[in-house]
């Protein structure tokens, strides 16, 4: 299916972006997460895999609460996460989209233009070889898309309470942006 099946006014959106460059969204960050469910040897292997794929040092994440059925205690390291920004994020997304065949579901987009998808096996990413000592890991990739000027929510001085609805990224705009930047098809 083409992007025009999901977004009726692609030309109108692109025209608005060309007229006002402050309206064109950009990729703010890409978050890559591998959860193994416990502070075992698998967690250290997952951290090595993330470091190998992204080129950045991952941060272990702790469990928020105890879940006895899964053997997880509160405060125990159960996952590893990496946040990529700017050029590193773009380079990683090129590889990640190739791993999933440049196809995303329309349901993967939320109402504020953010996107999440999963990669079943890390060896599907181009340039990554299978290592029997490490094994195979799946991962979640979350893309945060925002417009220029969104920083007013996070800055220390003269912080604003909220961003108006008209300056937030819509689901359709995120679809058009990913189609333009990476050639992603929406299914």
């Amino acid at each position: 299916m083409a992007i025009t099946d999901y977004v009726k006014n692609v030309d109108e959106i692109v025209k608005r972006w060309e007229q006002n460059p402050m309206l064109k969204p950009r990729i703010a960050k890409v978050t890559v997460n591998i959860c193994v469910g416990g502070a075992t040897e698998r967690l250290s292997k997952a951290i090595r895999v993330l470091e190998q794929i992204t080129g950045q040092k991952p941060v272990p994440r702790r469990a928020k609460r105890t879940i006895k059925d899964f053997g997880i205690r509160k405060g125990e390291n159960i996952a590893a996460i990496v946040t990529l920004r700017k050029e590193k994020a773009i380079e990683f997304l090129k590889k990640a989209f190739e791993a999933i065949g440049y196809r995303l579901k329309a349901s993967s987009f939320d109402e504020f233009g953010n996107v999440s998808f999963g990669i079943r096996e890390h060896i599907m990413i181009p340039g990554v070889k299978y290592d029997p000592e490490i094994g195979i890991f799946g991962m979640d990739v979350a893309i945060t898309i925002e417009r220029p000027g969104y920083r007013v929510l996070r800055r220390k001085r003269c912080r604003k309470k909220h961003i108006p609805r008209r300056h937030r990224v819509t689901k359709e705009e995120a679809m058009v942006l990913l189609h333009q930047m990476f050639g992603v098809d929406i299914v």
Side-chain angles (χ1 to χ4, degrees):
M1 289 188 165
I3 192 165
T4 53
D5 295 342
Y6 293 99
V7 183
K8 301 299 180 203
N9 50 359
V10 173
D11 297 329
E12 192 177 302
I13 290 172
V14 173
K15 185 178 170 187
R16 273 190 23 228
W17 291 350
E18 289 170 356
Q19 288 175 350
N20 187 353
M22 287 295 282
L23 289 180
K24 184 170 183 179
R26 61 182 176 208
I27 295 173
K29 66 181 177 177
V30 175
T31 309
V32 186
N33 177 41
I34 295 180
C35 184
V36 293
T40 60
E41 184 183 330
R42 273 184 58 80
L43 182 61
S44 60
K45 290 178 181 179
I47 288 174
R48 272 194 292 168
V49 165
L50 270 180
E51 192 166 0
Q52 174 191 359
I53 292 171
T54 61
Q56 273 187 215
K57 190 172 188 312
V59 178
R61 303 299 283 185
R62 298 178 183 273
K64 293 182 180 179
R65 61 180 168 265
T66 300
I67 304 172
K68 288 185 180 180
D69 296 339
F70 297 121
I72 297 173
R73 292 183 309 244
K74 182 178 180 179
E76 183 181 29
N77 290 336
I78 60 170
I81 191 169
V82 172
T83 301
L84 304 169
R85 297 179 193 274
K86 299 186 180 179
E87 292 304 315
K88 282 189 176 182
I90 302 294
E91 291 304 314
F92 175 77
L93 282 179
K94 287 177 184 174
K95 293 186 223 171
F97 285 135
E98 190 172 329
I100 61 168
Y102 293 99
R103 298 170 60 129
L104 282 176
K105 291 182 179 179
S107 60
S108 298
F109 292 82
D110 72 358
E111 291 306 313
F112 298 112
N114 301 311
V115 191
S116 293
F117 61 93
I119 299 174
R120 287 184 188 271
E121 299 175 347
H122 76 278
I123 58 174
M124 295 170 63
I125 296 174
V128 177
K129 301 255 190 273
Y130 174 69
D131 184 3
E133 288 183 10
I134 293 178
I136 295 177
F137 291 96
M139 61 185 66
D140 300 319
V141 179
I143 306 170
T144 303
I145 299 174
E146 57 188 38
R147 296 188 202 278
Y150 206 82
R151 181 181 158 273
V152 298
L153 272 180
R154 294 183 294 270
R155 66 186 181 190
K156 285 188 181 258
R157 190 170 177 274
C158 300
R159 183 179 298 163
K160 300 296 178 207
K161 298 282 187 216
H162 74 282
I163 296 289
R165 188 105 175 129
R166 67 181 180 271
H167 200 66
R168 292 187 184 267
V169 179
T170 63
K171 185 176 187 174
E172 291 80 19
E173 287 176 320
M175 290 179 184
V176 172
L177 180 73
L178 290 181
H179 182 73
Q180 272 191 340
M181 286 181 77
F182 303 103
V184 174
D185 291 327
I186 312 300
V187 227

